[in-house]
Amino acid sequence: MKHYSAFAVAREALRYHTGWERAWRSPEPKKRYDVIIVGAGGHGLATAYYLGKNYGIQNVAIIEKGWLGGGNTGRNTTIIRSNYLQDPSAALYEKARGLYEDLSQELNYNIMFSPRGVMMLAQTQHEIRGYQRTAHANALQGVKTEWIEPERVKELVPIINIDGPRYPVLGALWQERGGTARHDAVAWGYARACSAMGMDIIQKCEVTGVRSENGRVVGVDTTKGAIDCEKLGIVVAGHSGQLAEMAGFRLPLESVALQALVSEPIKPCMDVVVMANTVHGYMSQSDKGEMVIGGGTDGFNNFTQRGSFHHIEETVRALVETFPMISRLKMLRQWGGIVDMTGDRSPILSTTPLGNCFINCGWGTGGFKAIPGSGWGMAQLMATGHSPLTEAFTMDRFKEGRFIDESVAAGVAH
């Protein structure tokens, strides 16, 4: 009698009962699609999904240079929140947070959404004023957040040291319905839904050129041959500048590495997400017990996806004062992702100088939390030419001076 591993059994069950085989083994590309999405990360897959679900556009190819969810979608620290200061940002991120609430049921795939709460510590008088301003702005925007005092912070996070000698905890901005989700599950949930609609997810297929005629996109050249399309969506995060250059325009972006690490697993000790902007660090505990730790971006432009020793020292040194217990932990693993940063630290969701070519980029260090809202708005923009969610995030805002300044809200890499 032949025996099968648990993984093989699960794979075969998914293959025959959900149509997952189409995404598991990349099909050969067809000659022509209505829409091509470049980038099979969360934002690209969500865009394709909502194109099919909301607008019936299902002749779609999602092209990926590497593997599904292998970029920033699989490398982030999974924080979900919507307490941004500016109205356009709050609307977009709150749309995404609301969609995350029911995404497991909608996709019939457990994304492990955990609304455990997100706390942003105030450790200076300047931060107190800034977070209270944000709380008032969120109240006007309909985003539920609140300012809490140090005693409430200690109640929610018993392991925290609120009386640090350099940076005492003076209060926090608290979003109770923020939290985390499983990053690779988000990618696979959207991928499986796209595959079930008949879309092609083509992995190991790098775009080498963008073809146009009379100022409009007509297709792309890839390592698997030329593919024609009516519309093209570029959703490739840190490599957006390279794809834009192929399409004949430039983007106001810079790419830098963002690093993160996890500790060895320990017993449950913290059931909320804590961000500390002053010391430039943030931490949560995963379902496996690992302490998930991250900080700021590297101080120089680069395309590395590896960790570095100086980042461990800078980030952990900052957090040890606020969380003394982590000084005794061992690091389990470390990694990096390539993030694309705009000058105002807000994304670009826009048409481009090339007709029927659309761009979704500039999410910087906080793209994961926006995946469902980004996909919803981008799909609407590509299908109809306009979306209320994206109208403030055009490329033109930089030359027109319409900045959406979220440098404070995004100042701690999330």
Side-chain angles (χ1 to χ4, degrees), residues 78-83 93-94 97-98 100-101 113-119 143-145 173-181 271-273 275 369:
T78 75
I79 297 172
I80 298 169
R81 65 182 180 89
S82 61
N83 51 351
Y93 287 105
E94 180 63 13
R97 194 206 58 78
Y100 266 124
E101 293 263 5
F113 175 63
S114 171
R116 62 186 66 186
V118 175
M119 178 186 300
V143 177
K144 188 177 179 181
T145 60
L173 184 65
W174 169 244
Q175 184 170 23
E176 190 173 21
R177 293 302 294 180
T180 62
D271 59 359
V272 303
V273 180
M275 303 166 59
K369 69 173 75 71

Side-chain angles (χ1 to χ4, degrees), residues 167-186:
Y167 301 112
V169 175
L170 306 175
L173 184 65
W174 169 244
Q175 184 170 23
E176 190 173 21
R177 293 302 294 180
T180 62
R182 180 70 186 178
H183 43 40
D184 51 359
V186 172

Side-chain angles (χ1 to χ4, degrees), residues 255-257 259 297-304 308 310:
S255 293
V256 296
Q259 300 181 37
T297 56
D298 286 2
F300 51 93
N301 293 355
N302 65 90
F303 288 88
T304 184
S308 62
H310 79 274

Side-chain angles (χ1 to χ4, degrees), residues 77-129:
T77 50
T78 75
I79 297 172
I80 298 169
R81 65 182 180 89
S82 61
N83 51 351
Y84 279 70
L85 176 63
Q86 306 296 343
D87 291 349
S89 304
L92 182 57
Y93 287 105
E94 180 63 13
K95 176 68 174 180
R97 194 206 58 78
L99 289 170
Y100 266 124
E101 293 263 5
D102 302 314
L103 196 57
S104 293
Q105 290 79 6
E106 179 174 339
L107 300 178
N108 192 27
Y109 197 96
N110 186 10
I111 66 163
M112 301 170 70
F113 175 63
S114 171
R116 62 186 66 186
V118 175
M119 178 186 300
M120 303 174 71
L121 300 181
Q123 296 177 286
T124 66
Q125 292 297 322
H126 176 73
E127 283 188 310
I128 292 176
R129 292 191 295 271

Side-chain angles (χ1 to χ4, degrees), residues 7 46 62 142 172 218 222 226 239 285 288 298 333 341 384 389 391:
F7 175 77
I62 305 104
V218 295
T222 76
H239 293 287
Q285 188 168 21
K288 294 182 289 185
D298 286 2
R333 62 185 182 276
M341 310 286 287
T384 69
L389 282 177
E391 62 184 356

Side-chain angles (χ1 to χ4, degrees), residues 123 154 157-165 167-169 321-324:
Q123 296 177 286
K154 184 67 174 179
V157 192
I159 67 171
I160 199 170
N161 174 23
I162 64 172
D163 300 315
Y167 301 112
V169 175
E321 184 176 303
T322 307
F323 300 95

